Amino acid sequence: MCLAVPGRVLEIGEKDGTRMATVDFGGVQKEVCLEYLPDLQVGEYAIVHVGFALQRLDEESARQTLELFEQLGMLQEEFGDPWEMAAEAGGAPWPFTDDEPAADRAHTEARQEEIPQ
């Protein structure tokens, strides 16, 4: 799924002649093109779709939308690690965490024993 997500502009610069910004989407930072909103300033919010800031947004609306997306798991879907999501979708354990709960670790070890070597 490809969402239009509100984000807060953290810094603005230029890259190869294009006005770009570092934008925070509830903890995830991405580079965004500002060519459609050339007067957008640091601290302001915008709706971003496929790497382009498309529309200015007030802070309260942005926060409410980000909170709703977070509750629905849409931020993870949009910005999460695609390899981790594929592993979860396939029912495989994600092997790169050190803080795996004991119950999950036991499940992982049991699944590994089932795999013929």
Side-chain angles (χ1 to χ4, degrees), residues 25-26 64-76:
F25 301 95
Q64 288 176 354
T65 303
L66 284 169
E67 187 176 299
L68 179 61
F69 283 179
E70 179 70 31
Q71 290 172 1
L72 296 173
M74 296 172 100
L75 287 180
Q76 175 65 20

Side-chain angles (χ1 to χ4, degrees), residues 14-101:
E14 192 172 301
K15 184 175 182 180
D16 299 324
T18 302
R19 192 161 185 258
M20 300 292 289
T22 301
V23 177
D24 179 70
F25 301 95
V28 175
Q29 294 181 9
K30 298 281 186 179
E31 291 299 308
V32 172
C33 178
L34 299 181
E35 290 298 304
Y36 295 130
L37 294 174
D39 60 340
L40 195 65
Q41 301 297 314
V42 170
E44 290 187 301
Y45 288 81
I47 293 176
V48 177
H49 181 61
V50 294
F52 291 88
L54 300 177
Q55 182 177 346
R56 187 175 271 105
L57 189 63
D58 67 274
E59 182 175 357
E60 181 60 27
S61 296
R63 289 185 187 278
Q64 288 176 354
T65 303
L66 284 169
E67 187 176 299
L68 179 61
F69 283 179
E70 179 70 31
Q71 290 172 1
L72 296 173
M74 296 172 100
L75 287 180
Q76 175 65 20
E77 183 178 320
E78 187 71 12
F79 297 120
D81 184 325
W83 296 106
E84 181 177 2
M85 291 187 292
E88 288 175 6
W94 182 242
F96 302 111
T97 58
D98 293 331
D99 55 353
E100 186 177 32

Side-chain angles (χ1 to χ4, degrees), residues 97-110:
T97 58
D98 293 331
D99 55 353
E100 186 177 32
D104 289 343
R105 193 170 32 255
H107 176 75
T108 299
E109 291 168 359

